[in-house]
């Protein structure tokens, strides 16, 4: 498979641009995979609606492109961490309901109010947002966040009455509208842990207290990807799906395929060197790996500056239909695979061959989960850390005709995914 070069290369003549039919390295994002995943979650969450979380440049997939694909597939809202991320989406013409929830005193609340961005409120931000609303002569839209046990952002239940009361006073003055109440779960990726039940109980208490104070919200939301899959009682009016829309599993014991999800990112490059070496050849800094016999080394031009974990030695790279583990230390720009003893003719077939670091795994190739295992981290980090030095390339940017979406088995597949997650 070949991938078209980015339209805006920025340098070079038409001849040099024409020469770049294949990018040297790229993260290829399949937007139909994103749409498929969103449709799955829309079916699973119904009658609750879906917020597609596109923070951190859509977990490295490209916020604008993923946001549009998610909305095409039925997501009702978008979520980001920072107001700056929300403003970038607005600047790109994305006008869907959009929530930003993590702020500092330097956050641009004025711009958020002016752009109609919903603002998450944990406490101190309330007065700053009201000041922005006065300046903009426009009521702010806020979601009040309660800390139900995660211990990060959010108002404690002890201070909740006070926060709700202050918000309602401002609402009565026409300075804001409380459109949501939300929280975040700590251990939903471990479905059998009791803390999720405890958090949901606190959330219901917070909702009841707010309703007693006169709050009439559009949405109440606490479910993340794992809770959407495994805890229907957490859905309320809205679920916030991040990892799942990128096709990755939040559960240690269930694969993406078992959940009916399609990983959207493929990270690939071209083998930059292939050479025969003797037995005992050291590889990379520290010479921590030496060949056990005469062998052929392949040089993969991806390193930790591209987002490959430096500690991920042993992570797989697929070349010519075979997965090879990375040997020796991963460097800033490159890493090495040991291709074994090859004949000159065999070695010639590797020179310039495509090397896939991660993909959907459908052909037996490496996945983000494989690299997470090699690096001792999670699949969230693997895709999110792929750096801007790796150009993003998009396939299936336009959704297929509507009739292609009509899959009679979609609801059954969604139900099966929920049952798998609950095991």
């Amino acid at each position: 498979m070949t991938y078209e070069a980015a339209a805006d290369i920025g340098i070079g003549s038409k001849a040099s641009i024409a020469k770049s039919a294949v990018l040297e390295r790229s993260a290829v994002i399949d937007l139909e995979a994103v749409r498929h995943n969103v449709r799955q979650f829309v079916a699973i969450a119904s009658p609750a609606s879906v917020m597609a979380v596109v923070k951190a440049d859509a977990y490295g997939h490209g916020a604008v492109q993923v946001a549009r694909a998610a909305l095409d597939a039925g997501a009702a809202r978008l979520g980001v961490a920072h107001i700056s991320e929300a403003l970038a989406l607005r600047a790109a013409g994305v006008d869907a309901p959009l929530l930003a929830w993590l702020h500092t005193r330097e956050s641009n609340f004025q711009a958020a109010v002016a752009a109609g961005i919903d603002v998450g409120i944990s406490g101190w931000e309330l007065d700053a947002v009201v000041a922005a609303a006065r300046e903009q002569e426009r009521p702010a839209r806020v979601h009040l966040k309660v800390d139900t046990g995660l211990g990060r952002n959010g108002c404690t239940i002890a201070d909740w009455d006070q926060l709700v009361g202050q918000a309602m006073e401002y609402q009565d003055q026409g300075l804001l509208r409380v459109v949501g109440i939300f929280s975040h779960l700590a251990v939903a990726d471990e479905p059998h842990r009791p803390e999720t039940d405890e958090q949901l109980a606190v959330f219901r208490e917070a909702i009841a207290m707010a309703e007693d104070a006169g709050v009439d919200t559009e949405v109440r939301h606490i479910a993340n990807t794992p809770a959407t899959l495994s805890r229907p009682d957490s859905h309320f009016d809205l679920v916030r799906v991040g990892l799942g829309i990128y096709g990755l599993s939040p559960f240690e014991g269930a694969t993406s395929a078992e959940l009916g999800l399609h990983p959207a990112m493929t990270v690939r490059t071209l083998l930059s060197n292939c050479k025969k070496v003797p037995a005992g050849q050291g590889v990379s800094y520290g010479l921590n790996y030496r060949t056990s016999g005469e062998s052929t080394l392949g040089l993969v031009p991806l390193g930790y500056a591209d987002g490959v974990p430096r500690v991920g030695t042993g992570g797989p790279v697929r070349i010519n239909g075979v997965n090879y583990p990375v040997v020796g230390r991963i460097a800033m720009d490159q890493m090495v695979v040991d291709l074994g003893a090859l004949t000159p003719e065999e070695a010639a077939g590797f020179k310039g061959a495509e090397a896939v670091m991660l993909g959907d795994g459908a052909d037996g190739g490496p996945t983000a989960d494989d690299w997470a295992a090699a690096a001792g981290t999670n699949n969230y980090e693997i895709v999110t850390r792929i750096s801007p030095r790796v150009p993003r390339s998009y396939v299936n940017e336009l959704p297929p005709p509507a009739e292609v979406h009509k899959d009679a088995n979609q609801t059954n597949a969604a139900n099966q995914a929920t049952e798998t997650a609950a095991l």
Side-chain angles (χ1 to χ4, degrees), residues 307-383:
V308 182
R310 185 175 181 270
V311 296
T313 297
V317 178
R318 191 167 184 84
I319 308 168
N320 290 344
V322 177
N323 294 346
Y324 296 93
V326 171
V327 298
R329 285 185 190 163
I330 293 169
M332 183 181 292
D333 311 297
Q334 54 201 290
M335 54 190 178
V336 178
V337 293
D338 189 341
L339 301 172
L342 300 177
T343 66
E345 293 76 20
E346 290 171 332
F350 282 86
K351 292 178 180 178
E354 184 171 73
V356 176
M357 173 188 163
L358 63 88
D360 63 13
D363 62 352
T367 65
D369 294 302
D370 295 324
W371 275 91
T377 185
N378 59 24
N379 49 13
Y380 297 68
E381 181 180 344
I382 296 300
V383 293

